Amino acid sequence: MSAIFLTMIAGFAGLIVMNGTKKISNYNSVLRIIAINLANEQFAEIESLAVQNNLSAGNYNFLGVEEDLKTYSENENEKIEITEFEVITKVSSVGKNLYKVEIKVKWNFNNENHYVEFEKIIRNSKE
Amino acid sequence: MLNLKKLFAILKNKKGFVMVEFAIALPLLILLIYAMLNLLFFLKNPDKNQSAENQATDYIAASEANEIIRRITRDARSAVEVELLESNYRQDIEFTFHANTYDNNNRYNVVDTLDKRRYILYAKDSVKKNYRVYVHRQYVSTPTSPITGNDGNENDIPGDTSVEELKFTIRNKNILHISLKIKNVRTDRIFSVNTSVYMPVCEKIKGF
């Protein structure tokens, strides 16, 4: 019986190690940092709208620089496009002059979908 | 009692039990050894762009880019004044913010002053030309310690990076857009990271 348990443990260990090779073979961390900074870019634009008392509930497009959505990996010889990001912004009202801003940045790499999600509560400036 | 007897009977017939054990254990052990060899050969892959050492240096480049952007956005958020100083090949940015210092009359009191911090791009070694971001100090003529990276003299330091481009623009009212390109010296690959920061208390913007 102990042999059967040992082989089951060995099988699970094999599965975990096989899963590990897949995780090493991507540079998802660079894309994740780019996505976090894109979300910060969108937050900056929305904060500027809120200060001008222009923030309202609804869905927004990407308000920053359009070229930031595409990312490249460059050598001296060539420029390879890695991926394109999609920024989804949803603003909903949670009180008088208070808005909850949810930003989700999606990208596709190696035929896998990844995303990061953030939310903030921002107040419209009263005038 | 009956179960105990059956158990003893099985245990006595050890020959058959051992064959069954191998039939279960062997495929799973083969799977484990195959997985470990796969991992080992993947790590020692001679292809330059996919070896684990080079991917580790990519992670270092990304985290250094993040560090530069975090420092600049932290200063921008509290900045009262922003000035862009432009020279031939680079842009330096200077933030002025509120800080505290001792009152000259009474050293027990703390008063409010304005302090400045400037970020510059500089390459110490003119042969290698690895640009790094430094915080400018007014009393020292040559910059001493950069925000990221080190100034090693060897060619083969893993994780060495060079900042290719650091540009600033002002978008709508009080939004500073930062565009950073950082190069991984080991694989010669350039990553670009762009972000914006909103400056809530900034009153003066100069040089843009």
Side-chain angles (χ1 to χ4, degrees):
Chain A
M1 283 303 289
S2 63
I4 292 177
F5 284 134
L6 278 175
T7 52
M8 283 170 66
I9 292 170
F12 281 125
L15 279 175
I16 291 169
V17 168
M18 290 282 281
N19 205 18
T21 56
K22 191 176 160 201
K23 277 189 183 148
I24 286 179
S25 67
N26 58 20
Y27 42 120
N28 206 11
S29 68
V30 175
L31 298 175
R32 194 184 151 85
I33 286 180
I34 296 177
I36 293 172
N37 284 314
L38 276 178
N40 278 336
E41 188 167 350
Q42 181 77 333
F43 272 129
E45 300 277 346
I46 288 190
E47 283 164 19
S48 138
L49 281 181
V51 162
Q52 298 163 23
N53 209 10
N54 273 339
L55 189 60
S56 55
N59 291 332
Y60 285 80
N61 289 333
F62 184 60
L63 303 167
V65 177
E66 287 288 332
E67 297 156 357
D68 294 349
L69 289 176
K70 291 194 187 163
T71 181
Y72 300 93
S73 168
E74 301 176 34
N75 279 336
E76 275 149 12
N77 306 327
E78 50 180 342
K79 206 167 171 183
I80 312 166
E81 175 168 346
I82 302 178
T83 183
E84 192 168 336
F85 293 89
E86 188 191 342
V87 177
I88 299 171
T89 314
K90 196 173 97 167
V91 178
S92 52
S93 171
V94 288
K96 185 177 176 191
N97 269 337
L98 278 180
Y99 292 96
K100 180 161 101 165
V101 182
E102 293 165 9
I103 294 186
K104 185 169 175 177
V105 184
K106 289 201 252 184
W107 70 97
N108 188 318
F109 183 69
N110 265 351
N111 291 329
E112 275 175 10
N113 285 328
H114 305 280
Y115 68 95
V116 284
E117 255 183 321
F118 301 97
E119 76 180 39
K120 241 191 207 183
I121 297 191
I122 294 183
R123 196 188 70 144
N124 242 349
S125 75
K126 301 184 226 179
E127 283 187 8
Chain B
M1 288 297 288
L2 273 169
N3 287 337
L4 275 174
K5 279 190 184 170
K6 279 187 186 170
L7 208 82
F8 283 133
I10 292 173
L11 280 174
K12 269 189 195 169
N13 189 6
K14 285 192 179 171
K15 210 169 161 188
F17 191 62
V18 167
M19 289 308 290
V20 164
E21 171 186 331
F22 265 114
I24 296 174
L26 206 55
L28 293 171
L29 278 173
I30 287 174
L31 177 69
L32 175 62
I33 292 173
Y34 172 68
M36 286 171 62
L37 285 177
N38 204 5
L39 189 59
L40 263 173
F41 282 122
F42 190 80
L43 285 175
K44 292 198 190 266
N45 196 335
D47 183 11
K48 188 182 179 192
N49 281 330
Q50 281 196 12
S51 76
E53 296 178 23
N54 288 335
Q55 289 197 4
T57 54
D58 283 343
Y59 300 161
I60 291 173
S63 72
E64 289 193 345
N66 211 20
E67 170 75 10
I68 295 172
I69 286 182
R70 288 296 146 254
R71 289 241 199 165
I72 294 180
T73 53
R74 191 187 67 187
D75 277 342
R77 276 217 173 258
S78 58
V80 174
E81 191 180 312
V82 173
E83 182 172 356
L84 187 74
L85 309 145
E86 208 153 345
S87 55
N88 295 344
Y89 54 91
R90 65 170 202 235
Q91 296 175 331
D92 299 340
I93 194 161
E94 185 170 79
F95 297 105
T96 309
F97 47 91
H98 281 283
N100 290 328
T101 184
Y102 292 114
D103 191 358
N104 278 332
N105 303 330
N106 182 4
R107 297 293 271 187
Y108 292 104
N109 275 349
V110 164
V111 293
D112 189 60
T113 61
L114 288 177
D115 196 4
K116 296 187 194 232
R117 190 173 288 142
R118 193 194 303 182
Y119 292 94
I120 63 176
L121 202 59
Y122 178 71
K124 205 169 187 182
D125 190 350
S126 60
V127 175
K128 267 198 328 177
K129 289 273 187 211
N130 280 358
Y131 282 91
R132 304 187 197 283
V133 179
Y134 292 80
V135 176
H136 183 250
R137 306 234 184 268
Q138 288 165 349
Y139 308 111
V140 179
S141 58
T142 50
T144 48
S145 59
I147 292 178
T148 63
N150 58 359
D151 287 327
N153 292 324
E154 310 294 325
N155 273 332
D156 214 13
I157 292 183
D160 208 5
T161 59
S162 162
V163 177
E164 293 288 312
E165 184 185 288
L166 182 58
K167 294 223 182 297
F168 305 96
T169 52
I170 293 275
R171 284 177 54 73
N172 308 326
K173 190 178 165 184
N174 279 7
I175 295 182
L176 176 75
H177 182 257
I178 304 167
S179 155
L180 169 72
K181 280 194 185 170
I182 192 160
K183 177 169 138 178
N184 184 356
V185 170
R186 194 171 169 116
T187 56
D188 278 336
R189 208 189 286 158
I190 299 176
F191 299 114
S192 64
V193 184
N194 301 313
T195 192
S196 290
V197 59
Y198 178 66
M199 301 184 284
V201 284
C202 185
E203 290 149 14
K204 264 197 241 175
I205 300 177
K206 291 196 242 169
F208 283 92

